[in-house]
């Protein structure tokens, strides 16, 4: 039940953009992400209606031959339940 769920907020800094990297590593160390239906035990997935993973900032490096290298930066605040 949702009332039985215990959760913490964690700040993570991935080294690459590999798919599921953060979710898989957190599940491996025994701290699965709320709402994760792929890597977490079923009861953890039931604690949240969707995956609770939020990127507060994102930098994308664009490298093309025809123009100078460019980095796009985005940021957003998180809403917690």
């Amino acid at each position: 039940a949702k009332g039985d769920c215990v959760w913490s907020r964690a700040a993570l800094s991935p080294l690459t953009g590999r798919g599921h990297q953060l979710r898989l590593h957190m599940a491996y160390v025994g701290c699965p992400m709320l709402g994760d239906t792929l890597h977490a035990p079923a009861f953890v997935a039931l604690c949240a209606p969707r995956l609770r993973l939020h990127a507060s900032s994102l930098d994308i490096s664009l490298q093309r031959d025809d123009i100078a290298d460019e980095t796009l930066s985005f940021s957003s605040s998180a809403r917690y339940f």
Side-chain angles (χ1 to χ4, degrees), residues 2-18:
K2 279 190 180 182
D4 298 332
C5 296
V6 176
W7 57 276
S8 298
R9 231 181 329 182
L12 307 171
S13 299
L15 300 178
T16 69
R18 301 287 302 201

Side-chain angles (χ1 to χ4, degrees), residues 9-69:
R9 231 181 329 182
L12 307 171
S13 299
L15 300 178
T16 69
R18 301 287 302 201
H20 305 277
Q21 177 188 19
L22 297 176
R23 293 164 61 186
L24 183 60
H25 287 226
M26 291 300 289
Y28 179 79
V29 298
C31 300
M33 293 189 181
L34 289 177
D36 187 347
T37 59
L38 185 59
H39 302 291
F43 76 91
V44 173
L46 295 174
C47 288
R50 62 179 177 79
L51 181 63
R52 298 295 180 172
L53 177 61
H54 175 81
S56 60
S57 64
L58 179 65
D59 294 326
I60 301 172
S61 297
L62 302 175
Q63 299 173 344
R64 297 187 288 189
D65 293 335
D66 57 333
I67 61 172
D69 293 350

